[in-house]
Structure formats: structure tokens, C-alpha cells
Amino acid sequence: FVVENINLKVTSPDDSLKGSYKCALANFGIPRYGGTLRGLVKYPKENQDACNSFNDVSFKPDNPGGLPVFVLADRGGCYFSNKSWNAQNAGAAAILVTHETDDLLTMDLPEHDPTATYLENLTISSVFITNSLGISIKKALEDINPVLVTLDWTEALPHPDERVEYEFWTNSNDECGLKCDNQLKFVKTFKKVAQALEQNGHTQFTPHYITWYCPEEYTSSEKCKSQCINHGRYCAPDPEEDFSKGYTGKEVVVQNLIQACFYKAANESGKPWLWWDYVTDFSTHCQMKEQQYNKDCAHKVIASFEIETNECLVDNGGCWIDKVNNITACKDTFRGKVCECPIVNGVKYVGDGYTHCEPSAALRCQVNNGGCWEGSKEGRNYTACIGDHTKSCECPPGFKGDGVTSCEDINECKEKKACQCSKCKCKNTWGSFECSCAANLLYLKEHDICISTKDVSTRDGWGFGWVFFGLIAIGVVGYVFYKYRVRRYMDSEIRAIMAQYMPLDGDVDVPVTRSHGEI
């Protein structure tokens, strides 16, 4: 539980007491957020715990326009709210309740006090101060030194931006008496205001649910099991305080968890104000007294809202993203977002998914041309991306440059890199060149020469003839050699077989098997 603190500044007397101190705000009354309140401290001679009415004592300013009075009261004897109510009725502007130690805690409302009908009219500022500060103030008052105090709420709420941030501590339990009734009434009446402030960007609120844990030595007890989940880690009291009937504290914890989960989903979708609609609808349709306080009823209420819970919509889920090509590694699943390098148009991206993803080298040219230069002109398309397992960019033949940002056409004619024979005519094109010759001449690119078509045909004819006859001669020789080898192999096999059964004259110890070399 977070204790909300504000500053208390003692401006008089001008001695060791002067300075700034931390004090805790009460969980009731109307705090002056963003403002300050200056007053004169008074410590009553009687009724010093402020548990009784100040019938014959007035804490109103001594004269019109005078300083407001802050009542100093001791802890104990009655509820904190009783002390504040009695001080308010006596005309005090604020009450400072002194703790028994130097630890600060939040003064809360009474849970079971049927006589506390005054709570809705309690407006006085109430703060809790440390024991050492209370003793110092009392000593100064005994020395007849006026003690002037300023309560400062200017830093009570965090405001890192132009919005006011506040927290709302609540509970889904609707059977806890006056406290629950007042809470539901507040939610229903404040809902429209809260939603308007949130939608217009003036505020940012966060709901919280109070839980406590069961001591380890009692986690196996029936009471702990009926009031807690997660082996006693999160607990809530039995709504009826009767473990034999009605709803259990465990069911309250579950509903609190559902409401907190709903807020998380609504906030991530950019619509946190939907939480107010959900809790009011749940309190209307899922009441304990109607036996509807269960998960089924909660899910029916949730189904009436359209909430996008895609975590990738908020800062891309913290995953890698290529904003130029609109490619992201964030995947939304029913269990939350996953940062995983994607597959785009059959191209697998590789990387950690959080800070780095890149297309695999073999197919990288299919995505954004692998980050390399590409161009089209005169009906021709060129790219500097090399479609192999490398990651480099290289200008294609006929171009020069870095291959990434630019590739410029090479003028082969001007730089005399081609078509340089005496009878050649060179014409540069984008990425290439054209070379022609005079009439009846043919250009041979590999030799960079112009020759007569008659010479080409004659020479080509004779060349073809010699090749043809050469192939025939090679075929004949090969066939004769093949026949000879096969015939010799078969003869040796036959002789080996016959030698096993009918040894031939003059043959001894003919081996049955041969090495691969002999075969």
C-alpha cells in the first residue's frame, strides 16, 4: 500500500523547529491538490485526542481575515475520521494527528461503523505527522511560541507531462457495508467526469486493488485456502465474514484480478476510460445479493466491450521494425506479443527480433532489392544486388559506382573499351554498347573485328567438315577397341570357369578371383 505524502513547512518559530517535514494524507476529506494552506497550530488543553466534541471550544479564526486554525491531536481513543469530524465542527481548517512512532501511514475510513453517517460531509484536510514532530510542536506551544504551518499539496500528484496523474484504490466486493456503498456511489457519479478528463488528455489514472498474503505457516488452513489464490500469495477477506456460506475471499481476489486485467487491456488499446464503464456495469449486473458475482457474469460484461489488446500497437511491442518497408518483428498472440523476425514474400528474415532483423543472404534481393542500387531505362532493368549468399552490392557490367546509392553508365565508346577496329562503328547505350560494321562485313565481339561474310561462310564450312570427319574417325576407333576388350574379358572368364571343373593341359593353379586391376 502506497502512503501518499505531502510537505509540511514550519515557518515559525524561527528556531530548530523551522523547516520542511513529510506528513501522510488521510484517505478521507478533500485534499487541496495543487495548492497550499497556511494556518496557526493549536493543541487543546482537554480532549487532546479529539475523540469528543469540542462543545465549549472554537477553532475558528480569532477575527475576520485571520489565519485558519490547525488542531493538533493525539492518536488513539477513536477512529481517525471521528477526530477530523470533531475538529471540523469546531471550526478548524485542518487537523494534524500525531503518531506514536516516526513511521507514517495512511489514516483510513472505518470499515464497520453504522454511526459514521457524517463521512460524506467530511471535508477538512487531515494529515498524519511523526511522533518527533508532534513533540517538537507541543514544546514550542508550551513556551508560548506561535507555530505557523503550511501544508503543501503542489507536489502531491506526479505530473511528468501536462496531465494530472492519480491513483484510485478500489475493490470489487459489494458487500462490505457503508464503505462499499460509498465507493460504488462515487464510481457511478464520478464516471462521466473521469472519462471526460481522460479522453481530453487532462488526466491519467490507475486503479489499484488492495490484497495481502497469508503467512506461510497457515497456507494449508481452510481459512487461507478460501480467502487466497496462488498458495496464499494474494488474499481478500471473506465478504460475509462467515466461511460456511456465501462468497469467499478467493472469489473477490479473482474479480479484482479480472478488473485489473480489463484496465490493462483498455489502457494498451488507448481507451483506459472504458474501465469506468466496466466496473459500473459489473456492479449493476453481477451483484453478490443476486448470486451473480462470478466469472461467467464478468465475461458477459466484458463481451459487450470492443477492446484491441494487440501489444504491438504500443511502441511496436519493443520489437525490431523497418518503417520504410513497413515490416515488423512483433507478432500478437493470445499470450501476448512475440518478437520474431518475419517471413515476407517467401523471404526469411534472420536476427534477434528485438534490435536486428535482415533478409537471409540467398533471397535478400527480393526485399527492397537487398538495399542495393537498381534502375530502369530504355526498356532495360539493372540491379547491383548479387543474388548469392553474400551481402555485397556490386554494379553490373557496363556500370561503375558503389553499388548501394549509385551506378553510372560506362561509355565504352568514349573510353575505348570496345568496338575499336578500323572498320567498326561504336554507339553507346545505357549499360552497354552497339557496334556495327560497313556493308558485307560482320562484327565479331569476342575478337573486336569486322570480317567479310564470305570468309566466314567458307571458313565455317571447312571447319564443320573437318569436325564431322574427326568425330566419325574417333567413333570407329572407339568401337573397335571396345569390341576387343569385351572379347578378351569374356575369354578369360570362360577359361577360369572351365579350369575349376576340367583343368586344361598345361594349366596349373588358375586363380578363381582377380583383383580389380586385372578386371
Side-chain angles (χ1 to χ4, degrees):
F1 188 84
V2 178
V3 177
E4 189 175 3
N5 296 327
I6 65 170
N7 284 327
L8 183 152
K9 299 177 182 178
V10 178
T11 57
S12 178
D14 194 8
D15 55 16
S16 60
L17 180 59
K18 186 177 182 179
S20 296
Y21 302 87
K22 289 292 184 182
C23 59
L25 282 178
N27 199 21
F28 50 81
I30 300 178
R32 299 169 180 262
Y33 287 124
T36 59
L37 180 63
R38 187 166 180 258
L40 183 67
V41 179
K42 290 187 177 182
Y43 184 52
K45 295 181 180 180
E46 298 179 355
N47 192 22
Q48 294 180 336
D49 58 7
C51 286
N52 299 314
S53 299
F54 294 97
N55 296 322
D56 301 326
V57 180
S58 175
F59 294 119
K60 294 180 180 180
D62 295 335
N63 51 69
L67 286 174
V69 175
F70 295 172
V71 173
L72 180 64
D74 298 330
R75 182 183 182 182
C78 60
Y79 292 118
F80 291 122
S81 58
N82 290 131
K83 301 175 186 288
S84 300
W85 180 245
N86 292 330
Q88 177 176 310
N89 288 336
I95 183 171
L96 314 178
V97 180
T98 303
H99 196 5
E100 297 164 345
T101 69
D102 282 346
D103 296 324
L104 292 177
L105 54 82
T106 299
M107 296 186 291
D108 206 355
L109 291 169
E111 292 189 3
H112 303 287
D113 185 7
T115 65
T117 57
Y118 57 85
L119 292 176
E120 61 183 13
N121 298 317
L122 186 56
T123 60
I124 189 174
S125 298
S126 306
V127 297
F128 206 42
I129 66 175
T130 63
N131 182 57
S132 57
L133 177 58
I135 292 174
S136 299
I137 293 176
K138 292 174 185 177
K139 186 177 184 303
L141 292 174
E142 289 175 358
D143 296 337
I144 317 179
N145 290 321
V147 178
L148 296 178
V149 169
T150 300
L151 298 178
D152 187 355
W153 285 270
T154 55
E155 297 297 328
L157 289 178
H159 46 83
D161 48 28
E162 295 299 320
R163 298 177 299 177
V164 174
E165 299 182 14
Y166 67 97
E167 298 173 337
F168 178 48
W169 294 85
T170 183
N171 195 343
S172 64
N173 182 3
D174 61 5
E175 288 292 331
C176 61
L178 181 62
K179 189 172 183 177
C180 285
D181 295 339
N182 286 336
Q183 175 183 270
L184 292 176
K185 181 180 178 182
F186 167 78
V187 170
K188 291 179 179 179
T189 56
F190 187 63
K191 182 181 81 169
K192 290 185 179 179
V193 177
Q195 290 180 322
L197 291 173
E198 198 81 14
Q199 290 172 351
N200 292 321
H202 300 308
T203 61
Q204 179 183 358
F205 91 103
T206 304
H208 292 285
Y209 295 83
I210 301 174
T211 63
W212 54 88
Y213 68 94
C214 183
E216 186 176 355
E217 57 270 23
Y218 297 105
T219 54
S220 60
S221 66
E222 290 301 321
K223 290 185 178 180
C224 186
K225 290 180 180 179
S226 68
Q227 297 183 90
C228 309
I229 64 172
N230 198 18
H231 305 290
R233 182 64 183 86
Y234 304 102
C235 308
D238 188 280
E240 298 88 2
E241 297 185 358
D242 187 342
F243 299 102
S244 63
K245 64 178 182 179
Y247 289 97
T248 64
K250 178 190 294 186
E251 292 171 295
V252 174
V253 176
V254 170
Q255 291 304 324
N256 289 346
L257 181 61
I258 292 175
Q259 292 190 7
C261 183
F262 184 92
Y263 170 78
K264 181 177 183 292
N267 189 48
E268 290 176 351
S269 70
K271 299 178 181 179
W273 53 83
L274 290 178
W275 179 87
W276 296 90
D277 290 322
Y278 172 73
V279 294
T280 52
D281 287 358
F282 179 82
S283 65
T284 301
H285 301 289
C286 307
Q287 297 179 13
M288 287 184 176
K289 63 181 180 181
E290 299 295 336
Q291 303 300 314
Q292 294 297 317
Y293 187 86
N294 51 56
K295 284 194 267 187
D296 291 339
C297 185
H299 292 159
K300 288 179 181 178
V301 176
I302 292 175
S304 63
F305 296 91
E306 295 183 2
I307 299 179
E308 176 57 68
T309 59
N310 191 342
E311 295 182 52
C312 297
L313 299 178
V314 181
D315 196 26
N316 197 49
C319 304
W320 171 86
I321 184 173
D322 181 354
K323 294 183 178 180
V324 176
N325 298 296
N326 194 27
I327 301 174
T328 175
C330 190
K331 294 182 179 180
D332 182 57
T333 70
F334 72 98
R335 291 185 176 179
K337 58 91 176 175
V338 175
C339 295
E340 183 179 287
C341 292
I343 298 177
V344 181
N345 297 327
V347 179
K348 171 65 178 176
Y349 277 66
V350 294
D352 60 12
Y354 291 90
T355 60
H356 176 72
C357 283
E358 64 178 14
S360 57
L363 300 173
R364 68 188 187 92
C365 295
Q366 298 182 23
V367 181
N368 195 28
N369 197 47
C372 302
W373 172 89
E374 64 177 336
S376 299
K377 189 177 180 180
E378 299 175 0
R380 300 176 180 178
N381 300 319
Y382 291 98
T383 175
C385 186
I386 302 175
D388 55 15
H389 290 278
T390 65
K391 299 180 181 180
S392 60
C393 299
E394 183 178 317
C395 290
F399 291 88
K400 60 182 178 180
D402 59 13
V404 178
T405 58
S406 66
C407 285
E408 298 179 359
D409 173 58
I410 298 175
N411 191 329
E412 289 86 356
C413 300
K414 185 177 180 180
E415 297 185 11
K416 297 182 179 181
K417 292 187 175 182
C419 198
Q420 297 299 309
C421 67
S422 58
K423 298 180 181 181
C424 295
K425 295 181 180 180
C426 187
K427 178 184 178 183
N428 185 60
T429 61
W430 191 65
S432 185
F433 66 93
E434 294 178 0
C435 193
S436 60
C437 300
N440 298 324
L441 295 178
L442 178 66
Y443 177 69
L444 295 180
K445 186 175 182 179
E446 60 272 17
H447 299 290
D448 191 30
I449 190 173
C450 291
I451 63 174
S452 171
T453 55
K454 181 178 180 181
D455 294 339
V456 172
S457 59
T458 303
R459 185 161 49 240
D460 289 349
W462 278 106
F464 176 77
W466 282 112
V467 170
F468 177 75
F469 285 117
L471 290 174
I472 292 177
I474 292 172
V476 170
V477 172
Y479 176 74
V480 171
F481 180 75
Y482 169 76
K483 292 286 288 183
Y484 170 76
R485 290 284 293 174
V486 170
R487 181 64 178 268
R488 184 178 179 184
Y489 171 75
M490 291 181 64
D491 287 345
S492 63
E493 286 294 317
I494 293 172
R495 286 177 61 84
I497 294 172
M498 294 180 65
Q500 294 182 55
Y501 304 98
M502 297 182 298
L504 302 179
D505 295 338
D507 290 335
V508 249
D509 298 332
V510 178
V512 179
T513 59
R514 290 161 303 285
S515 67
H516 291 289
E518 292 174 329
I519 294 175

